[in-house]
Short mmCIF file of all heavy atoms in Angstrom, two decimals:
data_model
loop_
_atom_site.label_atom_id
_atom_site.label_comp_id
_atom_site.label_asym_id
_atom_site.label_seq_id
_atom_site.Cartn_x
_atom_site.Cartn_y
_atom_site.Cartn_z
N MET A 1 -28.22 37.70 8.37
CA MET A 1 -29.30 37.96 9.42
C MET A 1 -28.64 38.13 10.79
O MET A 1 -27.73 37.45 11.09
CB MET A 1 -30.36 36.86 9.46
CG MET A 1 -31.55 37.16 10.33
SD MET A 1 -32.68 35.70 10.33
CE MET A 1 -33.39 35.76 8.69
N PHE A 2 -29.18 39.08 11.51
CA PHE A 2 -28.85 39.31 12.97
C PHE A 2 -30.15 39.00 13.75
O PHE A 2 -31.25 39.41 13.38
CB PHE A 2 -28.32 40.70 13.27
CG PHE A 2 -26.94 40.89 12.93
CD1 PHE A 2 -26.46 41.11 11.67
CD2 PHE A 2 -25.86 40.76 13.93
CE1 PHE A 2 -25.07 41.34 11.34
CE2 PHE A 2 -24.53 40.98 13.71
CZ PHE A 2 -24.16 41.24 12.35
N LEU A 3 -29.97 38.42 14.90
CA LEU A 3 -31.05 38.30 15.84
C LEU A 3 -30.59 39.16 17.04
O LEU A 3 -29.63 38.86 17.70
CB LEU A 3 -31.33 36.88 16.32
CG LEU A 3 -31.77 35.87 15.10
CD1 LEU A 3 -32.03 34.52 15.72
CD2 LEU A 3 -32.88 36.42 14.39
N LEU A 4 -31.34 40.21 17.30
CA LEU A 4 -31.02 41.17 18.36
C LEU A 4 -31.96 41.08 19.55
O LEU A 4 -33.09 40.75 19.35
CB LEU A 4 -30.96 42.63 17.88
CG LEU A 4 -30.00 42.90 16.66
CD1 LEU A 4 -30.17 44.39 16.27
CD2 LEU A 4 -28.58 42.59 17.00
N ALA A 5 -31.51 41.34 20.77
CA ALA A 5 -32.27 41.30 21.92
C ALA A 5 -33.29 42.44 21.81
O ALA A 5 -33.07 43.42 21.00
CB ALA A 5 -31.54 41.57 23.21
N THR A 6 -34.44 42.35 22.51
CA THR A 6 -35.46 43.41 22.36
C THR A 6 -35.02 44.69 22.94
O THR A 6 -35.28 45.81 22.44
CB THR A 6 -36.72 42.90 23.19
OG1 THR A 6 -37.30 41.81 22.45
CG2 THR A 6 -37.79 43.98 23.26
N SER A 7 -34.09 44.57 23.98
CA SER A 7 -33.56 45.74 24.61
C SER A 7 -32.29 45.33 25.30
O SER A 7 -32.01 44.20 25.38
CB SER A 7 -34.50 46.35 25.69
OG SER A 7 -34.78 45.49 26.70
N THR A 8 -31.42 46.38 25.67
CA THR A 8 -30.14 46.10 26.24
C THR A 8 -30.22 46.42 27.84
O THR A 8 -31.13 47.03 28.26
CB THR A 8 -29.04 46.91 25.64
OG1 THR A 8 -29.25 48.37 26.07
CG2 THR A 8 -29.15 46.93 24.12
N LYS A 9 -29.24 45.87 28.47
CA LYS A 9 -29.15 46.12 29.91
C LYS A 9 -29.08 47.58 30.33
O LYS A 9 -29.52 47.96 31.36
CB LYS A 9 -28.03 45.31 30.50
CG LYS A 9 -28.20 43.90 30.57
CD LYS A 9 -27.07 43.11 31.20
CE LYS A 9 -27.25 41.61 31.27
NZ LYS A 9 -26.15 40.90 31.99
N SER A 10 -28.50 48.42 29.41
CA SER A 10 -28.48 49.83 29.68
C SER A 10 -29.67 50.59 29.40
O SER A 10 -29.82 51.70 29.66
CB SER A 10 -27.28 50.41 28.87
OG SER A 10 -27.51 50.35 27.57
N GLY A 11 -30.63 49.92 28.71
CA GLY A 11 -31.93 50.56 28.47
C GLY A 11 -32.15 50.95 27.01
O GLY A 11 -33.13 51.64 26.74
N ILE A 12 -31.30 50.58 26.00
CA ILE A 12 -31.53 50.84 24.61
C ILE A 12 -32.72 50.04 24.23
O ILE A 12 -32.65 48.75 24.20
CB ILE A 12 -30.38 50.56 23.78
CG1 ILE A 12 -29.10 51.48 24.26
CG2 ILE A 12 -30.60 50.86 22.23
CD1 ILE A 12 -27.82 51.06 23.64
N GLN A 13 -33.78 50.67 23.65
CA GLN A 13 -34.96 49.94 23.24
C GLN A 13 -34.80 49.56 21.78
O GLN A 13 -35.31 50.35 20.87
CB GLN A 13 -36.17 50.79 23.48
CG GLN A 13 -36.38 51.12 24.95
CD GLN A 13 -36.59 49.96 25.82
OE1 GLN A 13 -37.29 49.02 25.48
NE2 GLN A 13 -35.88 49.93 27.03
N ILE A 14 -34.19 48.50 21.55
CA ILE A 14 -33.87 48.10 20.14
C ILE A 14 -35.16 47.81 19.39
O ILE A 14 -35.28 48.35 18.26
CB ILE A 14 -33.02 46.78 20.15
CG1 ILE A 14 -31.74 46.95 20.89
CG2 ILE A 14 -32.81 46.31 18.69
CD1 ILE A 14 -30.91 45.67 21.02
N ARG A 15 -36.04 47.06 19.89
CA ARG A 15 -37.32 46.82 19.08
C ARG A 15 -38.06 48.11 18.84
O ARG A 15 -38.63 48.22 17.64
CB ARG A 15 -38.23 45.78 19.91
CG ARG A 15 -39.59 45.66 19.20
CD ARG A 15 -40.32 44.44 19.72
NE ARG A 15 -39.78 43.18 19.27
CZ ARG A 15 -39.98 42.69 18.01
NH1 ARG A 15 -40.76 43.36 17.12
NH2 ARG A 15 -39.49 41.48 17.59
N ARG A 16 -38.22 49.00 19.77
CA ARG A 16 -38.94 50.22 19.53
C ARG A 16 -38.47 50.93 18.32
O ARG A 16 -39.24 51.36 17.51
CB ARG A 16 -38.88 51.15 20.80
CG ARG A 16 -39.49 52.46 20.65
CD ARG A 16 -39.20 53.43 21.74
NE ARG A 16 -39.63 52.86 23.04
CZ ARG A 16 -39.30 53.46 24.18
NH1 ARG A 16 -38.58 54.52 24.25
NH2 ARG A 16 -39.81 52.93 25.32
N TRP A 17 -37.18 51.07 18.18
CA TRP A 17 -36.63 51.88 17.01
C TRP A 17 -36.64 51.16 15.77
O TRP A 17 -36.98 51.63 14.63
CB TRP A 17 -35.16 52.27 17.35
CG TRP A 17 -35.12 53.47 18.37
CD1 TRP A 17 -34.94 53.36 19.65
CD2 TRP A 17 -35.36 54.80 17.99
NE1 TRP A 17 -35.03 54.63 20.19
CE2 TRP A 17 -35.24 55.57 19.19
CE3 TRP A 17 -35.65 55.46 16.84
CZ2 TRP A 17 -35.46 56.92 19.28
CZ3 TRP A 17 -35.88 56.86 16.90
CH2 TRP A 17 -35.73 57.52 18.09
N ILE A 18 -36.53 49.80 15.76
CA ILE A 18 -36.67 49.03 14.60
C ILE A 18 -38.13 49.02 14.13
O ILE A 18 -38.45 49.04 12.89
CB ILE A 18 -36.03 47.65 14.67
CG1 ILE A 18 -34.48 47.76 14.89
CG2 ILE A 18 -36.34 46.75 13.49
CD1 ILE A 18 -33.80 46.48 15.12
N GLU A 19 -39.10 48.88 14.97
CA GLU A 19 -40.42 48.93 14.68
C GLU A 19 -40.78 50.22 14.11
O GLU A 19 -41.63 50.38 13.15
CB GLU A 19 -41.30 48.62 15.83
CG GLU A 19 -41.41 47.13 16.28
CD GLU A 19 -42.33 46.86 17.39
OE1 GLU A 19 -42.81 47.89 18.02
OE2 GLU A 19 -42.68 45.70 17.61
N ARG A 20 -40.30 51.37 14.56
CA ARG A 20 -40.54 52.64 13.99
C ARG A 20 -40.09 52.71 12.58
O ARG A 20 -40.76 53.23 11.71
CB ARG A 20 -39.88 53.72 14.86
CG ARG A 20 -40.62 54.10 16.15
CD ARG A 20 -39.81 55.03 16.95
NE ARG A 20 -40.55 55.53 18.16
CZ ARG A 20 -40.06 56.06 19.15
NH1 ARG A 20 -38.77 56.20 19.30
NH2 ARG A 20 -40.86 56.47 20.24
N LEU A 21 -38.94 52.14 12.37
CA LEU A 21 -38.34 52.10 10.94
C LEU A 21 -39.32 51.35 10.10
O LEU A 21 -39.63 51.64 8.95
CB LEU A 21 -36.93 51.50 10.91
CG LEU A 21 -36.34 51.32 9.60
CD1 LEU A 21 -36.15 52.64 8.92
CD2 LEU A 21 -34.97 50.62 9.74
N SER A 22 -39.69 50.16 10.56
CA SER A 22 -40.65 49.30 9.78
C SER A 22 -41.93 49.98 9.45
O SER A 22 -42.38 49.92 8.33
CB SER A 22 -40.86 47.92 10.57
OG SER A 22 -41.84 47.12 9.93
N ASN A 23 -42.49 50.60 10.47
CA ASN A 23 -43.71 51.36 10.19
C ASN A 23 -43.64 52.47 9.30
O ASN A 23 -44.49 52.68 8.41
CB ASN A 23 -44.27 51.96 11.61
CG ASN A 23 -44.72 50.87 12.49
OD1 ASN A 23 -45.14 49.74 12.21
ND2 ASN A 23 -44.71 51.19 13.80
N LEU A 24 -42.47 53.17 9.25
CA LEU A 24 -42.14 54.19 8.25
C LEU A 24 -42.14 53.56 6.82
O LEU A 24 -42.76 54.15 5.92
CB LEU A 24 -40.82 54.91 8.63
CG LEU A 24 -40.32 55.87 7.53
CD1 LEU A 24 -41.31 57.12 7.53
CD2 LEU A 24 -38.91 56.34 7.93
N LEU A 25 -41.45 52.47 6.68
CA LEU A 25 -41.33 51.82 5.34
C LEU A 25 -42.72 51.36 4.90
O LEU A 25 -42.94 51.56 3.72
CB LEU A 25 -40.35 50.70 5.49
CG LEU A 25 -38.89 50.99 5.80
CD1 LEU A 25 -38.07 49.75 6.16
CD2 LEU A 25 -38.21 51.73 4.63
N ILE A 26 -43.43 50.82 5.75
CA ILE A 26 -44.79 50.45 5.36
C ILE A 26 -45.63 51.62 4.87
O ILE A 26 -46.34 51.58 3.96
CB ILE A 26 -45.48 49.56 6.55
CG1 ILE A 26 -44.74 48.32 6.76
CG2 ILE A 26 -46.95 49.43 6.21
CD1 ILE A 26 -45.17 47.52 7.89
N THR A 27 -45.62 52.67 5.71
CA THR A 27 -46.44 53.88 5.38
C THR A 27 -46.02 54.43 3.99
O THR A 27 -46.86 54.90 3.18
CB THR A 27 -46.11 54.92 6.41
OG1 THR A 27 -46.55 54.55 7.73
CG2 THR A 27 -46.81 56.23 6.06
N GLU A 28 -44.72 54.29 3.63
CA GLU A 28 -44.24 54.81 2.35
C GLU A 28 -44.31 53.71 1.27
O GLU A 28 -43.80 53.93 0.08
CB GLU A 28 -42.80 55.33 2.47
CG GLU A 28 -42.66 56.54 3.46
CD GLU A 28 -41.35 57.13 3.56
OE1 GLU A 28 -40.39 56.38 3.13
OE2 GLU A 28 -41.11 58.10 4.09
N ASN A 29 -44.92 52.53 1.55
CA ASN A 29 -45.02 51.50 0.56
C ASN A 29 -43.65 51.01 0.09
O ASN A 29 -43.57 50.61 -1.10
CB ASN A 29 -45.95 51.90 -0.61
CG ASN A 29 -47.34 51.85 -0.26
OD1 ASN A 29 -47.85 50.96 0.50
ND2 ASN A 29 -48.10 52.83 -0.75
N ARG A 30 -42.74 51.01 0.94
CA ARG A 30 -41.33 50.49 0.56
C ARG A 30 -41.13 49.14 0.98
O ARG A 30 -40.03 48.56 0.86
CB ARG A 30 -40.27 51.40 1.06
CG ARG A 30 -40.45 52.91 0.81
CD ARG A 30 -39.23 53.72 0.88
NE ARG A 30 -39.49 55.12 0.64
CZ ARG A 30 -39.71 55.67 -0.49
NH1 ARG A 30 -39.65 55.00 -1.58
NH2 ARG A 30 -39.92 57.00 -0.55
N HIS A 31 -42.14 48.48 1.50
CA HIS A 31 -42.06 47.09 1.91
C HIS A 31 -42.53 46.03 0.92
O HIS A 31 -42.38 44.81 1.16
CB HIS A 31 -42.94 46.89 3.25
CG HIS A 31 -44.47 47.14 2.92
ND1 HIS A 31 -44.92 48.27 2.42
CD2 HIS A 31 -45.48 46.24 3.08
CE1 HIS A 31 -46.24 48.15 2.35
NE2 HIS A 31 -46.58 46.99 2.69
N ARG A 32 -42.92 46.49 -0.21
CA ARG A 32 -43.56 45.57 -1.18
C ARG A 32 -42.49 44.99 -2.12
O ARG A 32 -42.71 44.00 -2.85
CB ARG A 32 -44.58 46.37 -2.09
CG ARG A 32 -45.79 46.76 -1.24
CD ARG A 32 -46.79 47.51 -2.07
NE ARG A 32 -47.89 48.07 -1.31
CZ ARG A 32 -48.89 47.34 -0.83
NH1 ARG A 32 -48.94 46.08 -1.09
NH2 ARG A 32 -49.86 47.91 -0.14
N ARG A 33 -41.29 45.54 -2.18
CA ARG A 33 -40.23 44.99 -3.02
C ARG A 33 -38.91 45.24 -2.28
O ARG A 33 -38.76 46.01 -1.44
CB ARG A 33 -40.27 45.76 -4.42
CG ARG A 33 -40.08 47.27 -4.25
CD ARG A 33 -40.26 47.94 -5.59
NE ARG A 33 -39.29 47.46 -6.62
CZ ARG A 33 -39.27 47.89 -7.87
NH1 ARG A 33 -40.12 48.77 -8.21
NH2 ARG A 33 -38.25 47.50 -8.62
N ALA A 34 -37.83 44.39 -2.71
CA ALA A 34 -36.58 44.48 -2.09
C ALA A 34 -35.92 45.87 -2.31
O ALA A 34 -36.07 46.38 -3.40
CB ALA A 34 -35.73 43.33 -2.69
N GLY A 35 -35.31 46.33 -1.30
CA GLY A 35 -34.55 47.59 -1.42
C GLY A 35 -34.03 48.05 0.03
O GLY A 35 -34.29 47.30 0.91
N PRO A 36 -33.31 49.09 0.03
CA PRO A 36 -32.65 49.49 1.25
C PRO A 36 -33.68 49.96 2.24
O PRO A 36 -34.58 50.87 2.01
CB PRO A 36 -31.72 50.59 0.86
CG PRO A 36 -32.36 51.17 -0.42
CD PRO A 36 -33.03 49.99 -1.11
N ALA A 37 -33.57 49.46 3.52
CA ALA A 37 -34.44 50.04 4.51
C ALA A 37 -34.06 51.44 5.00
O ALA A 37 -34.99 52.31 5.31
CB ALA A 37 -34.37 49.11 5.79
N PHE A 38 -32.76 51.75 4.89
CA PHE A 38 -32.32 53.07 5.20
C PHE A 38 -32.23 53.88 3.89
O PHE A 38 -31.16 53.82 3.15
CB PHE A 38 -31.07 53.07 5.92
CG PHE A 38 -31.15 52.56 7.36
CD1 PHE A 38 -30.74 51.22 7.65
CD2 PHE A 38 -31.67 53.34 8.30
CE1 PHE A 38 -31.01 50.73 8.95
CE2 PHE A 38 -31.88 52.82 9.62
CZ PHE A 38 -31.49 51.64 9.91
N CYS A 39 -33.29 54.54 3.52
CA CYS A 39 -33.40 55.14 2.28
C CYS A 39 -33.87 56.62 2.45
O CYS A 39 -34.44 56.94 3.49
CB CYS A 39 -34.40 54.46 1.32
SG CYS A 39 -36.04 54.25 2.00
N ASP A 40 -33.67 57.42 1.43
CA ASP A 40 -34.15 58.82 1.51
C ASP A 40 -35.60 58.91 1.10
O ASP A 40 -36.23 57.91 0.86
CB ASP A 40 -33.19 59.71 0.61
CG ASP A 40 -33.28 59.32 -0.86
OD1 ASP A 40 -34.18 58.68 -1.28
OD2 ASP A 40 -32.39 59.80 -1.64
N GLU A 41 -36.07 60.07 0.83
CA GLU A 41 -37.50 60.23 0.63
C GLU A 41 -37.86 59.77 -0.72
O GLU A 41 -39.11 59.45 -0.99
CB GLU A 41 -37.88 61.83 0.66
CG GLU A 41 -37.56 62.42 1.99
CD GLU A 41 -36.23 62.89 2.23
OE1 GLU A 41 -35.24 62.39 1.51
OE2 GLU A 41 -35.89 63.72 3.18
N LEU A 42 -36.90 59.48 -1.63
CA LEU A 42 -37.19 58.98 -2.95
C LEU A 42 -36.96 57.45 -3.04
O LEU A 42 -37.08 56.85 -4.07
CB LEU A 42 -36.35 59.67 -4.05
CG LEU A 42 -36.56 61.18 -4.17
CD1 LEU A 42 -35.58 61.83 -5.16
CD2 LEU A 42 -38.04 61.54 -4.62
#
């Protein structure tokens, strides 16, 4: 596990991008079982 800051001093919005990934996975029902978060359409 990593614990990352919400954003960086230079302005990288870490949480924004990780939340977008999470929302995508939930929309595709890929959150119900263990598997790679970075996955293709299948």
Side-chain angles (χ1 to χ4, degrees):
M1 185 182 292
F2 277 83
L3 300 183
L4 302 178
T6 296
S7 60
T8 73
K9 288 185 177 179
S10 65
I12 300 172
Q13 299 301 314
I14 301 174
R15 173 167 286 281
R16 176 190 299 173
W17 282 99
I18 295 180
E19 282 187 345
R20 281 172 173 163
L21 175 62
S22 175
N23 290 338
L24 173 66
L25 293 169
I26 291 172
T27 298
E28 296 181 347
N29 282 320
R30 305 201 188 281
H31 63 299
R32 299 182 182 278
R33 56 188 299 179
F38 291 100
C39 57
D40 62 18
E41 297 85 345
L42 298 177

